[in-house]
Amino acid sequence: MTQPCEQISPATAPGSREHYREVRARTEAIAAPLTVEDHVVQSMREASPTKWHLAHTSWFFETFLLARDPRYREFHPRFRWLFNSYYNAVGDQPERIRRGLSRPPLSLVQDYRRHVDGAMLALLESAPPDLRDVVVLGLHHEQQHQELILTDIKHVFGTDPLRPGYRPDLPAPRSHPVALELRPFPGGIHEIGHAGAGFAYDNESPRHEQLLRPYALANRLVTCGEYLEFMADGGYARPELWLSDGWATVKERGWHAPLYWEKDETGWRQLTLRGLEAVDPHLPACHVSFYEADAYARWRGLRLPSEAEWERAALTGSEGASGEGTVYESGPLQPQSAVEASGLRQMVGDVWEWTQSPYVAYPGYHPVAGALGEYNGKFMCNQMVLRGGSCVTPGSHLRLTYRNFFPPDARWQFSGIRLAHDLTD
Amino acid sequence: MTQPCEQISPATAPGSREHYREVRARTEAIAAPLTVEDHVVQSMREASPTKWHLAHTSWFFETFLLARDPRYREFHPRFRWLFNSYYNAVGDQPERIRRGLSRPPLSLVQDYRRHVDGAMLALLESAPPDLRDVVVLGLHHEQQHQELILTDIKHVFGTDPLRPGYRPDLPAPRSHPVALELRPFPGGIHEIGHAGAGFAYDNESPRHEQLLRPYALANRLVTCGEYLEFMADGGYARPELWLSDGWATVKERGWHAPLYWEKDETGWRQLTLRGLEAVDPHLPACHVSFYEADAYARWRGLRLPSEAEWERAALTGSEGASGEGTVYESGPLQPQSAVEASGLRQMVGDVWEWTQSPYVAYPGYHPVAGALGEYNGKFMCNQMVLRGGSCVTPGSHLRLTYRNFFPPDARWQFSGIRLAHDLTD
Amino acid sequence: MTQPCEQISPATAPGSREHYREVRARTEAIAAPLTVEDHVVQSMREASPTKWHLAHTSWFFETFLLARDPRYREFHPRFRWLFNSYYNAVGDQPERIRRGLSRPPLSLVQDYRRHVDGAMLALLESAPPDLRDVVVLGLHHEQQHQELILTDIKHVFGTDPLRPGYRPDLPAPRSHPVALELRPFPGGIHEIGHAGAGFAYDNESPRHEQLLRPYALANRLVTCGEYLEFMADGGYARPELWLSDGWATVKERGWHAPLYWEKDETGWRQLTLRGLEAVDPHLPACHVSFYEADAYARWRGLRLPSEAEWERAALTGSEGASGEGTVYESGPLQPQSAVEASGLRQMVGDVWEWTQSPYVAYPGYHPVAGALGEYNGKFMCNQMVLRGGSCVTPGSHLRLTYRNFFPPDARWQFSGIRLAHDLTD
Amino acid sequence: MTQPCEQISPATAPGSREHYREVRARTEAIAAPLTVEDHVVQSMREASPTKWHLAHTSWFFETFLLARDPRYREFHPRFRWLFNSYYNAVGDQPERIRRGLSRPPLSLVQDYRRHVDGAMLALLESAPPDLRDVVVLGLHHEQQHQELILTDIKHVFGTDPLRPGYRPDLPAPRSHPVALELRPFPGGIHEIGHAGAGFAYDNESPRHEQLLRPYALANRLVTCGEYLEFMADGGYARPELWLSDGWATVKERGWHAPLYWEKDETGWRQLTLRGLEAVDPHLPACHVSFYEADAYARWRGLRLPSEAEWERAALTGSEGASGEGTVYESGPLQPQSAVEASGLRQMVGDVWEWTQSPYVAYPGYHPVAGALGEYNGKFMCNQMVLRGGSCVTPGSHLRLTYRNFFPPDARWQFSGIRLAHDLTD
């Protein structure tokens, strides 16, 4: 089987033809283990079929780069409309729930990719710098969708009664106990946000000062074993532990465990990308909503970190974070136990960590002009920030300033829990 | 391209191995023009993916015949549950809306068919007569699903923004004007329903007497051109023409034309199995609900026939009905103009004709014992009877006593309108 | 407390001022035990507040009689729209679910009634015969709403956590066991439907012949005790007893007993118009849907009667039916045990009896012209016929040809079960 | 007519019998202009009937004070359950949508109030200080419900086709143009939040430092005239002005103007508590959602203030704020034009001003222990903070640190818009 992911070589120039080729090839490598049928199914409104992801990422380059070129010959007259996700400035778009279409067939979408690739590689021979920025954005966009292909196909498999695995041949995750400790961090005025030359989304800017109070952060993620204790203690049946909207959600949807967990005569099992497996108490808890993360923290007498707390701690307290967590390229595509160490562990590349911060604009934020301004800015309401990246996030896509965001009831992302609490001065 | 359908040779013994082979092969021929992706999509709760039809028809033989044989080795431990449609006596079943699954892949479903075929052909070497009846039932069941594959894939294509055709190479329908005339039929006590040795569903029995009053029946179906006049006369905007539930449906769903009709700058077009085509005024109107058929008839100052009126007229007044209408085997897979003649035309094999009869049990009806009693009996509420069979119904599947039934708002079947009215004695 | 109902004296001429006064006064007597607050609440879409009933019945006279008179001064410019129920030919109307309004206050609605009464009594001094027919229709319409006031306020009280009674002072029902027997009736051609000079709704016409097969009808209604046996035998948990739509309804709404039944530590209790009382096994089962009636009959190995069977049996086999059942005027406003007798009992005035007949037009039926044609005709779809009238139906409102109709899932009417079965010739 | 509201005399000791009597009497004065019927109706899930407010505010004293006293005789055994709003620690509660009950009648609820008042006044003769705090909380709770009675009855009248006024005798609002100016405020570390001895809700604490950047705040609220310009410029049809969730809401609900605005041949009219009146361009725009406030600000090239910006500006820049805005006691119960002045105007007591701040805990926040901890804390998700208080908020209930909160789509509160923007250092 094709190895789905290889690291983008650090030597590759951002936005170069090599960069473009590497990212695009990886998307196809991720889709390679799937059957044609797997590419088609949309299991819920929020998730998209793989075939759609393959087309939409090409649409992005076509719409924001190629369409500006009068010599470009469009592949299909309806694709500009069909594969628009939510860019109103580009035009109307199909209803989100209507992405599970049989046509165009996968082979035609693959032709579409090749068509776009040909035109893009020609363009990249002599792309001016301002286009180069859009190319880099498009490649990061594509990396986001690489992660979404995996989260969304997992949801397809999670709603399939046969509970298939994506790749049963994946390696087993590292598993052993690590003691939970809370590491102190100082208060004061600190800068957060992106600055400098590297790529970042517009929502990570401007870099700005935030006032923090002394706090502590857990050295590792909450484990499945710890989460099972919460469940055993009636966590899903005690309204005092939950936000009001969270409690309503628990009752309405009948939640009683993380997504993808199910109980049989052998105990709790969870669907991973390898298939259905016993829940391992040493592994990080995953596929919990913000509501569950918040309730768990309250049950422990602690809280979730703010995104500023998380970012400052990640910058200063993380030992070997980038080396440890980026399991994506060769890893088991599920979070694994931390490597024992004195600092913070599992900050990057294990699970997206829910913060207590609603997703709002940084002070002085302005979206970029035009349709690309819709990329991040218009979602700044009713969502919570998640930090750190997950085991299915491409390693070269992550940054400590990265702000991911999902509604508080979302569970199908690889999302977990890191605990925090207040320190008195 | 494979010719999808050949006539079952009249010489074939019902329930024989030859019969089994012919019907099963035709199912696969019908699916042959589809892409793998086309097999997967479920476009609404009421319609099923082709892949599901292929599996469920095999499940029928496995469940009601093979499973009784202790030597039979089941193909997959979960299929007994997964491909059950609605037989509660067999066991629980998946939610109907959850049939659009990616797994098992099409190839495995095809293997499942071959596995069942092998066991069935062995069984048929020495099947006792009581089993033979279930075999024949299973083959008629499969023929029903042959029609459903076509109606359901048409719905998939009708919700696909690209509006693909199933087989663009299909021949064009015969099209020419035929004058509408009303043919008189006498009242009195008449028998309807099935009797005799041939196959029929349990709901066609017992044959029994019905008291009719003199009536007249239209010599042909209502055409698109006639239906366009209803539309032009404000048919969809005049509540006095509609049943109360029909009017509520019109408003709620925004109906303003038959299903699959859409208007562009060139005028009205409709999706057929050949693709999107101009509406031809001479062809029968199709894909209307009972509500629309009833409103149309009221607008004309006429009414729909009862099923007893229809059956008596078909028996006595139809000229060459069986020869004319069974366009399925070599036809255009859409209704076509009647052959001019003095009798009733288009009674069989053009469109399912809505009657004014709610679907209820015939007097003295008893469903067969066991799970197969769920086939027809439990649906005798909230549905209307349709008669005659459509251009996508296998010819050998039709009978003049056949009672099809759908809810009054259903439009995705090939359903149309024949007019009737009362004659005074 | 005001006695809510007195019998309309048989001597009163239909459509006379005396008749008008008596019917109108009775409506107000029925509302008299209610608080002002009780008049306001709409507990579900299908039920209406008492205040609305009081206004709508006046609207009927205003719209179909007074408005034709150029001298008539309308009471309020918005009432013509506000209190229209469903007459599209009169004009648009508010959404049905929006009847629970605080304004106009009850006192203004009472003024409206007096205003209409004054104008009607003046009109009746010299009403021409064709108006007289509409007056009689309006009074029967008002009597229907007298029953609906009671069924709808019972639903208000049934959804009120305090479970109040409408009139705790009502007399207790007669209660004693009566043996169940099946009485035979002959087949053949029989006439049913209304004919003659007396009042009837248009849907009872034309009188026409129906062909019946020999049948038997139970001498009394199914009792609560018998229904409890069905429940104890798993009646609500056995899909094989139910129509498919019925079973879906049972699961979706969690039905496990008739409406208004609840179980506490003392056993089953039911809300009556006297308040919450122990379920009495000798009283007729009431507040069941068609689905439940049908499932019960199947469980007994019997069936429900057709409406033609019911009507013929009522005409020929009922002993003292009209004397016995019309408990409304002085009765307990709940069904009571039959008086022991050799004939059919409880045919009229106990509970509405579900038949197996879908509500369709009689052969040759034509609705009356104009808006009044919407009274009955447009509902001839998706409903089942009920016969006999209930303990809350005004006695002078009932006829053996009366066709009531409700959807098969309706339970808030006083609806019950009479068993039937086929006799062989 | 009873004057609905008199000022609580500043001399009254908080939590004293005089204080209790004054607040309780005012609630009843607010309800006095209503008919009995008006007390009953629940027009949507989020709003409650006046009768429920009258009962629930008494329930609060009974549950959190009187029930602790073994000598207290409860008024009704079911009220503890029936009038619980959302306090899970007290016990289960009825569904929120089920508050529009006819029983208990208004008179019994008034008896309940008197019963609770008698017991409370006895208790207050010798209440220990810790109880006194709960008394004060209960009175502020009651004042919140005084405002809700007015907002909720306005919604009842707004959904009533007759569009009645609450008090047509109310005085007309002051109306004249005032120039819009943006006043500068400095950045830096500032304290916000409650401190000191006076009453405040737990969510206003702890007082803490926030880091602000220099900013400007509009001297007055956005007016109806200015909002009409936004509408005329296609404000409701331009997705680029809206947050994604806001745009989805606009389309789904068909918003095209503020709540309670409707257009007829004379132009735009809006329902006020006096009745339906022409929209006055000089009055503050009111009954807009956060989505509309945010879109309006974006259309102006400005933004909404954060709650910290608002609080600091209110403390330092408001001229005569408390004197000007508290129109509630003798005012028109609708927002009116600002008094011309050089400082900030209309900061308190005009409309609740949407901020850009999601409603989250202040750093170090801990809800109070027990059921009263559910008062504010569990709602800290999916809501936005509003500041300033409205023309229907009791004047003695307001504080500059007060944090009101509603979901971003809520429009039935008296909510409006104040503009802000960034200043560079």
Side-chain angles (χ1 to χ4, degrees), chain C residues 55-365:
Chain C
H56 169 69
T57 46
S58 304
W59 172 95
F60 193 95
F61 290 109
E62 188 179 56
T63 301
F64 295 115
L65 286 161
L66 301 175
R68 303 176 181 181
D69 182 349
R71 293 163 307 177
Y72 176 69
R73 180 181 54 79
E74 81 179 348
F75 182 76
H76 190 288
R78 298 284 282 156
F79 281 15
R80 188 66 56 85
W81 172 78
L82 189 58
F83 294 119
N84 184 359
S85 52
Y86 55 66
Y87 295 87
N88 293 315
V90 171
D92 205 3
Q93 66 254 196
E95 277 184 277
R96 183 163 189 145
I97 190 61
R98 288 274 168 204
R99 293 181 178 170
L101 300 171
S102 78
R103 303 291 176 99
L106 176 59
S107 59
L108 196 69
V109 166
Q110 288 165 336
D111 290 347
Y112 178 42
R113 287 184 71 84
R114 280 188 284 273
H115 177 86
V116 166
D117 286 349
M120 279 298 298
L121 291 169
L123 180 82
L124 289 176
E125 284 195 71
S126 58
D130 66 318
L131 285 197
R132 188 77 52 173
D133 286 351
V134 181
V135 173
V136 172
L137 177 65
L139 292 173
H140 278 276
H141 173 260
E142 180 126 3
Q143 287 186 305
Q144 272 193 288
H145 282 275
Q146 287 170 3
E147 175 159 1
L148 291 175
I149 289 173
L150 289 169
T151 57
D152 292 0
I153 198 70
K154 183 167 181 177
H155 196 263
V156 168
F157 292 161
T159 54
D160 191 306
L162 303 180
R163 301 281 190 277
Y166 161 71
R167 276 187 48 202
D169 64 320
L170 285 168
R174 181 174 59 239
S175 168
H176 56 78
V178 177
L180 183 81
E181 290 163 30
L182 288 159
R183 309 277 185 233
F185 292 91
I189 291 183
H190 297 281
E191 286 201 332
I192 69 162
H194 174 78
F199 173 81
Y201 287 121
D202 61 0
N203 63 0
E204 301 167 49
S205 291
R207 185 165 180 84
H208 65 285
E209 294 180 332
Q210 288 230 357
L211 180 61
L212 301 184
R213 309 197 324 161
Y215 64 102
L217 217 59
N219 64 324
R220 62 155 173 79
L221 299 168
V222 168
T223 63
C224 292
E226 289 167 325
Y227 201 84
L228 283 163
E229 292 169 30
F230 167 74
M231 290 162 58
D233 195 35
Y236 283 95
R238 292 168 52 185
E240 73 271 20
L241 299 174
W242 297 80
L243 287 164
S244 181
D245 285 356
W247 182 242
T249 306
V250 163
K251 284 191 295 181
E252 186 182 306
R253 306 192 193 168
W255 285 356
H256 58 281
L259 184 63
Y260 301 132
W261 287 35
E262 49 191 81
K263 201 170 188 175
D264 64 15
E265 62 287 348
T266 70
W268 282 103
R269 307 215 290 165
Q270 68 171 319
L271 184 69
T272 73
L273 289 171
R274 309 201 313 168
L276 207 53
E277 303 187 327
V279 167
D280 179 336
H282 302 319
L283 299 188
C286 190
H287 296 298
V288 294
S289 63
F290 169 77
Y291 294 134
E292 288 160 301
D294 175 79
Y296 178 84
R298 188 169 294 118
W299 175 73
R300 289 285 289 256
L302 301 170
R303 62 170 173 83
L304 301 178
S306 73
E307 63 169 326
E309 289 170 343
W310 190 96
E311 185 171 324
R312 290 306 304 176
L315 265 174
T316 61
S318 187
E319 295 182 0
S322 60
E324 172 198 15
T326 51
V327 299
Y328 171 68
E329 275 66 25
S330 59
L333 299 185
Q334 60 175 293
Q336 48 189 350
S337 295
V339 173
E340 186 67 77
S342 58
L344 295 179
R345 288 293 169 176
Q346 300 174 313
M347 290 295 278
V348 175
D350 301 273
V351 295
W352 287 103
E353 304 179 21
W354 287 108
T355 72
Q356 64 174 32
S357 303
Y359 175 53
V360 295
Y362 281 168
Y365 165 73

Side-chain angles (χ1 to χ4, degrees), chain D residues 30 32 42 62 67 71 92 136 179 191 221 279 350 389 402 425:
Chain D
I30 291 169
Q42 181 172 29
E62 187 179 56
R71 292 163 308 178
D92 205 2
V136 172
E191 286 200 332
L221 299 168
V279 166
D350 300 274
Y402 196 113
D425 287 289

